[in-house]
Amino acid sequence: MTILYFIDIVGTMVFAISGALAGRDKKLDFFGIAAVGLITAIGGGTMRDILLGSTPVGWMKDLIYLAMIGSGILISLLFGKVVLKLRRTFFMFDTVGIAVFTVLGLQKALTLGVHPIIAIMMGMVSAVFGGVLRDIVCNEIPLIFRKEIYALTCLCGGILYVILQRAGLDQGWNILVTVLFIASFRIFAVKFKWQLPDIS
C-alpha cells in the first residue's frame, strides 16, 4: 500500500464522516445522511478525474472506497450525537480532509503529466468540490464562496508541494509537510479570523 493510496482511502472516510455529520446536523433521515456522506466523499475526486480524463473514476475501480465511505457513515450514525457536540471535532474532520485531498489530487494530476499550475488547481478541486456539494445539498452557502479562508489554503499548499518537489524533497516528507501546512493554515485562519477582503 503506497502512501498516496493510504491517504486517499483515509481522506475518503474522513470526508464521509464530515458529510454524514452535516446531514445529521440538518436532521436528515438515514438515506439523507448516507447520501450527503457519499457525495462529500467522492465529489471532489470524481470531478478531478472527469476533468483529467481519468475514467472510470477512482472509487469505481476499487470497492475499498465504498467500504471506507460506509464505515465513515456508520461511525457518524453510531457516535454522531457525541461528535456533533464537539464542534472542533467536526472542524478537524473537514480540515484533515481538505489537506489530504489537496495532496492526492495534485499528485495524481502531476502523474498524468499536466502542467504544475493545472495540477495545483486539480488539487484544490479535489479538496473542496465535495464540500461544495455537501453545503449545497444541506442548503448552506459553500465555504469557498464566503470571506472565510478555505480554498486559498489548498492553493497555497499545492504551491508549496510543487516547490518542495522541484527542490528534491522525498515524496513522503513532502506529503507530510504539505498536509501539516494546509491543516495548520486552516486552523490559524479560523482561530485568528483571517478573512479575504469584502469588496461588496
Side-chain angles (χ1 to χ4, degrees):
M1 181 181 292
T2 65
I3 294 175
L4 285 175
Y5 182 68
F6 177 75
I7 66 171
D8 191 11
I9 60 175
V10 171
T12 298
M13 185 175 74
V14 166
F15 263 15
I17 293 172
S18 171
L21 288 176
R24 285 198 63 143
D25 195 38
K26 289 295 183 177
K27 311 298 183 185
L28 302 182
D29 61 15
F30 170 79
F31 182 82
I33 291 171
V36 176
L38 176 66
I39 64 174
T40 305
I42 68 172
T46 298
M47 177 58 69
R48 174 202 67 215
D49 287 351
I50 291 173
L51 290 174
L52 291 172
S54 178
T55 55
V57 296
W59 62 271
M60 292 183 175
K61 296 185 287 186
D62 189 348
L63 289 181
I64 194 171
Y65 287 100
L66 291 180
M68 296 300 284
I69 292 169
S71 298
I73 293 170
L74 185 60
I75 289 171
S76 302
L77 290 172
L78 293 177
F79 307 107
K81 290 183 178 179
V82 176
V83 176
L84 282 173
K85 292 179 181 178
L86 305 173
R87 299 179 68 180
R88 291 182 181 178
T89 303
F90 180 85
F91 167 73
M92 287 306 300
F93 278 135
D94 193 62
T95 298
V96 172
I98 65 169
V100 296
F101 269 58
T102 296
V103 173
L104 179 78
L106 170 61
Q107 183 60 43
K108 182 165 186 176
L110 289 173
T111 300
L112 292 174
V114 304
H115 192 280
I117 293 177
I118 303 300
I120 291 170
M121 294 173 62
M122 290 300 98
M124 183 187 68
V125 168
S126 182
V128 306
F129 195 76
V132 169
L133 293 177
R134 176 197 64 209
D135 292 343
I136 291 174
V137 169
C138 291
N139 200 29
E140 298 281 351
I141 298 175
L143 275 175
I144 64 170
F145 302 142
R146 305 182 213 168
K147 290 189 296 181
E148 184 176 331
I149 292 177
Y150 188 71
L152 181 62
T153 63
C154 304
L155 287 175
C156 291
I159 293 170
L160 175 64
Y161 184 94
V162 171
I163 291 173
L164 293 177
Q165 184 187 60
R166 293 292 178 89
L169 184 66
D170 175 76
Q171 185 187 63
W173 282 108
N174 196 355
I175 291 171
L176 178 61
V177 169
T178 304
V179 167
L180 290 176
F181 171 81
I182 295 171
S184 299
F185 190 173
R186 171 81 175 129
I187 290 169
F188 285 133
V190 171
K191 180 177 177 62
F192 297 108
K193 296 181 172 56
W194 297 341
Q195 294 182 335
L196 296 175
D198 186 351
I199 61 174
S200 62

